[in-house]
Amino acid sequence: MRAATTGSGAATTGSGAAGTGSGAAGKAADTPVGTPAATGVGGRAGRLLGAVFAALVGLFLMAPVLVTIASSLTTTSYVTFPPKGLTLHWYAELLNRPEFLDSFLISIGVAAGAAVVSTALGLAAGLAIHRYPFPGKSVLDRLFSSAFAVPTIVLGIGLLQWYAQLGMASSPLTLLLAHLVLTVPYTVRLVLAGLAGLDRSAELAAAGLGATAPRVFWHVTLPAVRGPMVAGAFFALITSFDDLTIALFVVTTDMQTLPVRIFNYLQYNYDPTVTAVGTVMVFFATVVVVVIERVVGVAHLFGADPER
């Protein structure tokens, strides 16, 4: 009888433990999978540290631009930071120096030409490399990739020698041709990246429905690579406008781009006129970015999904 009673108690205890286990299992089953165990103070602290770190990185990147803008407002006749007083005198001084305006017009004209020509050449070369087999295709593809690894000073010296052998005098055309060596590889690589993500079935479907090859290209292919094309044009514009190394070898005293003009000016002067010019260049770049954002969106330009 005692053994039976003891066995019954053990069974009862076992069933209680089983009930407790099943309750714990039920609670575990009710907990959503992937829910973090603790998202309280630790999670908020992590987000705060991430925001502070991002703000510090942004401040570090923007510091040179902010220093340049502040230095252009100083009342002293030399560049200093923090500025001693605030004035717009150095911006008005730019109006008395037409050589800066002439250099700006040369730079923006050549940069716009480089953006347009590079986009057209990049689209044609990208389509040829991506879709059509021809002798030397792999060599041409590697050539466009290796152009980024060649130092610009080497390109400048080579172009100077080449122009001298051909007897080509310095002009906006020779400067444009020199900048195309820098800008076309950007547009080719970006167009190739856009074509890699293009579904050919859409083109085949359009062709199967009776659309001609030009209509398929205009309504299907071109919209698919519009973002990479705009990105390539943007990079070509900024690269050409900002180039100094190559331009030093192919310009003359009568024809200088804005970066070359600033470089030569700083050899003999160090007044806030150059920081005012730099601020104008920053404003120009900002306007370009705003226009790109309005047209296609900066996030979409670099392949990101802004809706996420």
Side-chain angles (χ1 to χ4, degrees):
M1 291 291 294
R2 288 181 181 178
T5 304
T6 303
S8 173
T12 303
T13 304
S15 64
T20 304
S22 63
K27 291 182 179 180
D30 293 338
T31 303
V33 177
T35 302
T39 58
V41 178
R44 289 194 297 269
R47 289 192 295 270
L48 179 61
L49 289 176
V52 171
F53 178 75
L56 291 176
V57 171
L59 180 62
F60 175 77
L61 296 176
M62 290 296 297
V65 177
L66 298 177
V67 169
T68 300
I69 296 174
S71 300
S72 67
L73 302 174
T74 184
T75 57
T76 59
S77 59
Y78 53 89
V79 178
T80 182
F81 182 83
K84 298 180 180 179
L86 298 176
T87 181
L88 297 176
H89 166 73
W90 301 108
Y91 292 93
E93 184 67 19
L94 292 178
L95 301 177
N96 299 326
R97 296 183 178 275
E99 65 272 17
F100 282 105
L101 179 60
D102 294 340
S103 297
F104 175 79
L105 293 177
I106 292 174
S107 292
I108 192 61
V110 172
V116 173
V117 177
S118 296
T119 303
L121 294 178
L123 178 61
L127 286 171
I129 294 174
H130 184 262
R131 295 188 174 176
Y132 305 106
F134 56 89
K137 174 180 176 178
S138 60
V139 176
L140 186 62
D141 189 14
R142 293 190 184 95
L143 179 64
F144 284 120
S145 301
S146 63
F148 300 108
V150 180
T152 53
I153 190 171
V154 175
L155 292 176
I157 295 173
L159 288 167
L160 176 62
Q161 297 294 326
W162 184 47
Y163 287 161
Q165 292 179 1
L166 295 177
M168 299 176 63
S170 296
S171 66
L173 177 60
T174 57
L175 182 60
L176 172 61
L177 294 176
H179 282 176
L180 289 178
V181 178
L182 286 178
T183 57
V184 170
Y186 283 107
T187 56
V188 171
R189 302 316 305 179
L190 288 170
V191 168
L192 284 174
L195 290 173
L198 175 62
D199 187 4
R200 291 297 305 275
S201 61
E203 295 178 317
L204 297 176
L209 293 174
T212 60
R215 290 180 64 85
V216 172
F217 172 77
W218 185 259
H219 293 285
V220 180
T221 307
L222 197 59
V225 296
R226 184 186 65 173
M229 285 176 57
V230 175
F234 174 77
F235 277 114
L237 179 72
I238 296 301
T239 301
S240 175
F241 186 83
D242 192 52
D243 173 65
L244 172 64
T245 309
I246 289 182
L248 279 173
F249 290 94
V250 297
V251 300
T252 62
T253 55
D254 298 328
M255 187 199 73
Q256 297 182 15
T257 62
L258 188 57
V260 174
R261 180 74 65 182
I262 294 174
F263 177 79
N264 292 331
Y265 186 84
L266 284 173
Q267 295 185 42
Y268 307 101
N269 304 276
Y270 195 60
D271 56 57
T273 302
V274 291
T275 56
V277 174
T279 303
V280 172
M281 294 177 67
V282 170
F283 176 75
F284 168 74
T286 304
V287 170
V288 172
V289 172
V290 171
V291 171
I292 295 297
E293 172 65 24
R294 294 295 184 183
V295 174
V296 295
V298 176
H300 177 71
L301 188 68
F302 295 99
D305 187 1
E307 295 181 357
R308 290 183 178 180

